[in-house]
Amino acid sequence: MRAIGPAAEIPPGEGRTYTVDGEMVAVFRLRDGSVRALQAVCPHKGGPLADGQIDLKQVVCPLHLNAWDLRTGCSLSGQPDLAVYPVRIDDDTILLGD
Amino acid sequence: MRPRLVVIGNGMAGARTVEEILARGGDFDITMFGDEPYGNYNRIMLSNVLAGVEDESGIFLNDLSWYADNGITLHTGTRIDRIDRFAKVVYAADGTETPYDKLIIATGSRAFVPPIPGIHRPGRGYHQGVFAFRTLDDTRAMIRYAREHQRAVVIGGGLLGLEAARGLQNHLPHVTLIHAAGHLMNAQLNADAGETLRATIEARLGIEVIVNGRTTEILGKNAVSGVKLADGRVIPCDVVVVAAGIRANAEMAAASGLVVERGIVVDDRMRAQDEDDIYAVGECAQHRGETYGLVAPLWDQAKVLADHLTGVNPLAEYHGSRVATKLKVAGVDVAAMGLTEPERDDDESLTFAEPKKGIYKNLIIRDGRLVGATMVGDVKKVAFLMQAFDRGLALPEERAELMFDLGGPAGEVKVEELADDEQVCNCNGVSKGAICSTVQSGCRTVSGVMDKTRAGKGCGTCKPLVQRIVEWAAGGEVEEDPAASYYVPGIPMPKPELMNAIRVHSLRSVSSVFATLGGEEDAKSKMGLASLLKMMWGADYVDERDARFINDRVHANIQRDGTFSVVPQMKGGVTTPAQLRRIAEVAEKHEVPMVKLTGGQRIDLLGIPKEKLPEVWADLDMPSGYAYGKSFRTVKTCVGSDFCRFGVGDSTALGIALEERYQGIEGPGKMKLAVTGCPRNCAEAYVKDLGVVAIDGGKWEIYVGGAAGAHIRKGDLLTTVGSADEVMVLTGRFLQYYRENANWLERTYAFVPRIGIERIREIVVDDADGLAAALDTAMDASVAAYRDPWKDRDEPATPGQFRTSLPLTVLPQVPVRA
């Protein structure tokens, strides 16, 4: 588990991309205050998922509007699934990994 | 011992039913009796044999080996005289008797030959030269005889009579068609359609047609020499073909004690009334009062009978067929189904007629469903109409689309003829097979399938086709998607209701709309709600950045590699050397990979990384051109009267003024405008959301609802005004009416026809509803609230607003042009 940045870096309902050990991870801060972390690159055509719109359940890629379940990484529109990473906020810091 | 199945009749119905039984693994000892001395042939194709387009051998469906291969005992040329229902035995004319456990009667029908004096000759059957048109033998004899003669008369102007007349033309030079009713094909067509058909038959095929012609006598001593009509006319001829309809072959059944009206009466399982083991199928059967003379109902009946008899589906029921008729005569296209005339006061009846071209089209719609259609001379739309008729599909709002292809490539494709791997959605690469398998996996709403497959989610042109494929794949079990009428999928309300609720509850942010009206937030609804709230509240809107699409968060259009395009404002497409120099310097300084002229007469800097956007804007120091939002985009103009020798109005000045005033106004969809200085239309104003055309005399025409993208439509003329000031006001008022009333992502090309140009004119131009002042005030407020978003460059709106989301490695690399 490692700290990747302050929680305040991510506005509510948005996502930001972090580089962790050479891996690109998109971290989203949901409007209920919780966080989710998934692979940052859309498996369809390489779109930046952190630029996508989210709700409490899904993220929608900005390029072709494919959608994935934020919790499981499962595709909701017939694309390959996304890798998901454990993530949480502790003391206003985003902690990634187990 | 296997149960014994006896089939009386070896025509299309009998053989098809046996095929269906075999296909279900039915284990019977089958015996078939055929009156004709052949295997089974396609009677419908006899017209083609007569017309010479099909060879006799091509019409056989099952040759004799098929019967042997399937262990069927076939007795050809053997007529059954009587059924003993109690002893369960059938008696043939040759004296043999055959016991059965189950019996199918498929005796079909025969030509109806009216009792016209002279048609028969005692002791010889038909008079020499007189033929019925029913069997292969009839057809052979007719061809043989016709070849050696000159003039034929066909009695009967129905489907069969027309086909016979056309076919006879291949064998002799003169054909006259005599029809007793007032117009041709009177069972399927109304009088106007019949008259159009008559004119076409005469002009195009050279067949003389006599309607209201009752034949009273066949003339000729040894052979036919003419026919006499009730009005005294004599039509000389040496061949007479009778095609005056058919009658069910049900006498033997009646004589054997079965219930017979016009045919053998059967129930929904095709069982003869009051009989446990006797069935009837095809043209000899009467189901729910109907007898059918076409082949399609027969296929349906055969399936039900086989389901029931083999026990594969004991609950199978036949509920009647909605039959459509097509005339098979080369050069004369006729298709008809259902009603020929409206029956109720509120039935919609649509008619289009162009007699010179032999075209007549009529549709009858009841409660939004197609209940009748007639197409003469142009049957391009018939595949869709037959589906709509058969399955009761919802019809397009624009009724004319039922009759014509109004642009858009989706119209003519027949769903059932598309291959599974055929690409339906050309934007997202979705095949018909993918759509069908999604339906089969249980998703039965059009929007659900679109969500799952992304079909129709690109430019949207294929949506109607996707809808038809879903309907076809679901076999009429498409579920209505209630969300189709919602403004956005996440809030269960149409736009007017939603706007009212937003006002009542004073909801000024997207999250408050979800919290109050929707329950749970929905990513796919946020952008539409943000646009609506901004329009409604202007400066009082509470902006939540996550409600914005990325383009609106960073005021630039995201590209396939995650970089952005920057399009500075260039009002009316007019620029200056200084402006060009600055753009050139910025492009060089930032090593912009591509500089491109846009269709809206601006300059596009492509390939700008997100984190460099504020710097690029600062160096440009020009306002945003809004080439990214669902908003007012640009006003394209022509040179106009300053320089152009044709220009009759100052289009550039008006275009610049329009852009100046309405820049950046957000709406349910993009708003692209143009002003052109004369009707030559160099600025393409006829195909813009709002286009202004200068006409001589200092006047301006305003067109709305045009498009020239995936959908192409010429705008409707809203009005003609005498001054540029009036154009300014009416533009604002129309755009505001569109903003308040269009559905999310509904462009003006759909919105204007939905509301109707007359209605829009009443509201926007004539102010018939007294809304004009409010529309103008609302638009004024939006204009006043405008602020160039590229000024927000010094202070990010949110932390990391311009931070890159770009992955480091795997992105597709966009090639850089030298």
Side-chain angles (χ1 to χ4, degrees):
Chain A
M1 192 199 307
R2 57 195 289 182
I4 56 172
E9 264 184 6
I10 311 179
E14 293 194 42
R16 294 287 181 261
T17 306
Y18 294 85
T19 314
V20 183
D21 298 334
E23 292 274 314
M24 305 296 297
V25 178
V27 181
F28 298 94
R29 193 156 148 221
L30 279 46
R31 278 201 161 264
D32 65 4
S34 62
V35 279
R36 304 276 183 277
L38 303 97
Q39 81 183 57
V41 185
C42 174
H44 173 227
K45 296 271 168 124
L49 291 175
D51 282 345
Q53 287 192 283
I54 60 163
D55 52 34
L56 298 181
K57 288 190 179 130
Q58 59 180 334
V59 55
V60 182
C61 176
L63 291 194
H64 303 102
L65 308 185
N66 284 299
W68 285 267
D69 187 308
L70 278 170
R71 195 177 284 281
T72 63
C74 289
S75 169
L76 304 173
S77 54
Q79 295 292 326
D81 297 338
L82 301 178
V84 291
Y85 306 92
V87 65
R88 62 192 170 89
I89 291 182
D90 196 1
D91 198 16
D92 286 335
T93 301
I94 305 165
L95 300 173
L96 191 79
D98 292 313
Chain B
M1 200 177 74
R2 296 195 301 173
R4 293 162 299 187
L5 174 65
V6 168
V7 183
I8 307 174
N10 183 33
M12 298 177 75
R16 180 60 167 245
T17 305
V18 170
E19 282 180 8
E20 295 284 355
I21 289 168
L22 294 173
R24 285 162 180 71
D27 191 20
F28 294 96
D29 190 358
I30 303 174
T31 304
M32 298 183 75
F33 291 91
D35 196 11
E36 292 183 64
Y38 311 107
N40 170 254
Y41 62 85
N42 185 342
R43 198 179 300 283
I44 301 165
M45 291 296 162
L46 287 177
S47 299
N48 289 356
V49 172
L50 182 62
V53 296
E54 188 100 41
D55 190 63
E56 260 188 29
S57 61
I59 70 167
F60 278 92
L61 297 171
N62 302 108
D63 57 22
L64 296 175
S65 65
W66 176 81
Y67 297 88
D69 291 348
N70 287 291
I72 299 165
T73 310
L74 173 66
H75 300 285
T76 57
T78 308
R79 179 184 289 261
I80 295 298
D81 276 347
R82 191 167 65 85
I83 303 164
D84 186 330
R85 293 143 57 218
F86 306 102
K88 289 192 168 185
V89 173
V90 298
Y91 297 94
D94 62 9
T96 55
E97 44 192 86
T98 309
Y100 66 84
D101 297 304
K102 299 283 179 187
L103 177 67
I104 296 174
I105 306 174
T107 45
S109 60
R110 64 180 179 283
F112 167 65
V113 179
I116 302 168
I119 208 162
H120 294 281
R121 273 290 174 271
R124 303 207 316 227
Y126 291 128
H127 195 150
Q128 184 169 337
V130 174
F131 301 89
F133 184 27
R134 180 69 195 167
T135 65
L136 184 56
D137 284 345
D138 292 340
T139 312
R140 284 175 176 170
M142 199 192 310
I143 292 173
R144 213 180 304 124
Y145 195 84
R147 277 185 186 150
E148 288 159 17
H149 293 83
Q150 294 294 311
R151 316 183 75 90
V153 160
V154 175
I155 298 174
L159 214 50
L160 194 65
L162 285 163
E163 290 177 7
R166 181 74 182 107
L168 281 167
Q169 282 191 303
N170 289 304
H171 307 290
L172 44 70
H174 302 285
V175 178
T176 305
L177 184 69
I178 299 175
H179 190 47
H183 63 272
L184 294 177
M185 286 180 69
N186 53 300
Q188 293 92 9
L189 302 181
N190 64 27
D192 291 339
E195 174 54 23
T196 307
L197 176 61
R198 185 198 60 75
T200 306
I201 294 276
E202 291 203 325
R204 208 166 289 171
L205 303 184
I207 294 171
E208 193 191 338
V209 178
I210 297 171
V211 292
N212 291 316
R214 200 161 59 77
T215 310
T216 51
E217 193 179 349
I218 309 287
L219 306 173
K221 195 168 163 63
N222 296 316
V224 168
S225 65
V227 301
K228 189 173 181 184
L229 302 184
D231 60 8
R233 267 187 293 176
V234 170
I235 317 293
C237 67
D238 35 34
V239 181
V240 171
V241 173
V242 182
I246 53 171
R247 294 288 181 272
N249 286 325
E251 290 79 0
M252 181 274 295
S256 305
L258 294 176
V259 180
V260 172
E261 291 170 3
R262 282 181 301 128
I264 302 164
V265 178
V266 295
D267 63 14
D268 288 349
R269 295 172 171 186
M270 305 311 296
R271 241 180 348 199
Q273 190 173 315
D274 303 329
E275 298 293 329
D276 285 334
D277 300 313
I278 302 179
Y279 300 80
V281 64
E283 292 176 350
C284 67
Q286 176 182 327
H287 173 264
R288 297 193 184 179
E290 291 284 337
T291 55
Y292 297 98
L294 296 164
V295 75
L298 186 165
W299 298 159
D300 297 339
Q301 294 176 354
K303 281 184 194 144
V304 171
L305 204 171
D307 275 345
H308 189 57
L309 202 60
T310 57
V312 165
N313 178 8
L315 301 176
E317 286 191 348
Y318 177 68
H319 293 148
S321 297
R322 299 166 71 89
V323 291
T325 310
K326 262 183 166 175
L327 178 64
K328 294 191 280 77
V329 167
V332 184
D333 292 321
V334 177
M337 59 204 89
L339 300 184
T340 59
E341 308 273 0
E343 287 177 347
R344 300 186 192 163
D345 287 345
D346 54 355
D347 282 352
E348 287 176 61
S349 175
L350 288 75
T351 304
F352 171 83
E354 195 177 356
K356 230 178 175 172
K357 284 193 187 158
I359 293 175
Y360 175 90
K361 306 179 184 198
N362 173 259
L363 303 177
I364 297 165
I365 297 167
R366 178 177 298 162
D367 301 329
R369 309 284 150 168
L370 187 68
V371 293
T374 304
M375 298 271 138
V376 178
D378 172 7
V379 295
K380 281 199 223 60
K381 301 296 284 183
V382 79
F384 173 73
L385 292 174
M386 279 168 93
Q387 272 197 4
F389 173 73
D390 191 36
R391 301 187 183 164
L393 303 183
L395 302 178
E397 211 39 54
E398 197 67 45
R399 298 292 198 231
E401 284 173 20
L402 288 165
M403 286 193 184
F404 310 99
D405 288 321
L406 302 176
E412 276 182 58
V413 195
K414 289 188 197 168
V415 168
E416 59 273 29
E417 286 178 5
L418 280 177
D420 259 6
D421 57 356
E422 180 91 22
Q423 184 157 298
V424 172
C425 175
N426 290 327
C427 292
N428 292 330
V430 185
S431 67
K432 174 190 168 190
I435 295 172
C436 292
S437 58
T438 307
V439 173
Q440 269 130 37
S441 71
C443 183
R444 290 184 185 277
T445 66
V446 176
S447 57
V449 171
M450 284 170 58
D451 268 346
K452 277 222 165 84
T453 61
R454 319 269 339 120
K457 293 276 195 173
C459 70
T461 11
C462 66
K463 254 191 232 169
L465 181 56
V466 173
Q467 172 163 7
R468 279 162 46 212
I469 294 175
V470 172
E471 283 163 351
W472 176 78
E477 286 165 26
V478 174
E479 289 157 20
E480 288 284 328
D481 179 12
S485 65
Y486 303 163
Y487 172 70
V488 286
I491 310 281
M493 293 179 185
K495 184 164 176 174
E497 212 176 297
L498 174 61
M499 285 176 70
N500 192 43
I502 288 171
R503 263 188 228 105
V504 167
H505 298 284
S506 255
L507 305 173
R508 282 155 208 258
S509 70
V510 171
S511 61
S512 68
V513 172
F514 284 123
T516 313
L517 306 177
E520 203 163 281
E521 66 167 346
D522 171 44
K524 291 175 178 172
S525 302
K526 286 181 169 184
M527 191 181 175
L529 289 174
S531 163
L532 184 64
L533 292 173
K534 179 87 197 299
M535 189 266 290
M536 291 176 67
W537 299 112
D540 294 333
Y541 163 60
V542 177
D543 182 14
E544 291 166 340
R545 303 295 291 203
D546 65 310
R548 299 181 177 211
F549 183 58
I550 183 65
N551 285 6
D552 298 312
R553 290 184 198 166
V554 300
H555 318 296
N557 198 346
I558 191 164
Q559 305 295 307
R560 58 179 278 224
D561 62 354
T563 64
F564 290 83
S565 84
V566 168
V567 180
Q569 188 179 57
M570 202 169 271
K571 290 180 197 135
V574 179
T575 183
T576 63
Q579 206 176 44
L580 291 172
R581 199 173 291 124
R582 185 158 346 129
I583 292 171
E585 279 163 5
V586 170
E588 278 189 345
K589 176 181 170 189
H590 295 278
E591 297 174 328
V592 173
M594 182 186 264
V595 182
K596 173 87 180 66
L597 300 183
T598 72
Q601 299 184 334
R602 301 173 312 170
I603 293 177
D604 195 348
L605 306 175
L606 290 135
I608 314 285
K610 198 205 277 176
E611 61 275 21
K612 285 182 84 173
L613 288 170
E615 201 185 329
V616 170
W617 297 337
D619 290 343
L620 282 169
D621 197 24
M622 293 167 70
S624 166
Y626 277 93
Y628 43 81
K630 301 301 172 201
S631 62
F632 182 99
R633 290 291 189 88
T634 169
V635 183
K636 189 170 180 169
T637 70
C638 68
V639 180
S641 53
D642 274 4
F643 287 89
C644 179
R645 65 186 195 282
F646 300 115
V648 294
D650 190 350
S651 55
T652 41
L654 179 53
I656 290 168
L658 282 169
E659 192 161 347
E660 178 100 40
R661 177 162 166 78
Y662 299 114
Q663 57 192 346
I665 296 293
E666 65 292 317
K670 291 185 271 202
M671 289 164 271
K672 294 182 170 180
L673 283 72
V675 185
T676 200
C678 79
R680 284 177 182 74
N681 191 31
C682 294
E684 298 163 353
Y686 295 129
V687 289
K688 295 295 180 187
D689 293 292
L690 186 145
V692 185
V693 181
I695 56 173
D696 204 21
K699 292 188 176 145
W700 300 91
E701 291 177 334
I702 304 177
Y703 290 84
V704 295
H711 188 98
I712 297 178
R713 180 176 194 271
K714 187 183 176 187
D716 298 320
L717 180 63
L718 178 66
T719 185
T720 304
V721 296
S723 71
D725 287 346
E726 288 168 88
V727 174
M728 295 293 292
V729 172
L730 290 180
T731 298
R733 200 179 291 160
F734 169 75
L735 292 182
Q736 185 63 25
Y737 182 68
Y738 165 66
R739 297 171 80 204
E740 292 184 9
N741 294 281
N743 293 318
W744 176 235
L745 302 184
E746 181 181 32
R747 291 287 299 271
T748 61
Y749 69 73
F751 172 74
V752 170
R754 174 165 71 83
I755 304 291
I757 186 66
E758 291 80 15
R759 178 76 186 122
I760 291 178
R761 192 179 297 123
E762 275 176 21
I763 293 165
V764 173
V765 182
D766 308 333
D767 194 16
D769 291 25
L771 293 173
L775 290 169
D776 292 351
T777 308
M779 183 49 102
D780 284 345
S782 289
V783 168
Y786 168 76
R787 179 178 157 76
D788 173 21
W790 288 1
K791 295 262 195 247
D792 292 345
R793 56 197 175 226
D794 301 329
E795 194 84 358
T798 56
Q801 182 187 5
F802 298 106
R803 197 168 106 183
T804 184
S805 294
L806 282 189
L808 293 174
T809 47
V810 289
L811 278 181
Q813 295 296 307
V814 175
V816 176
R817 283 170 206 260

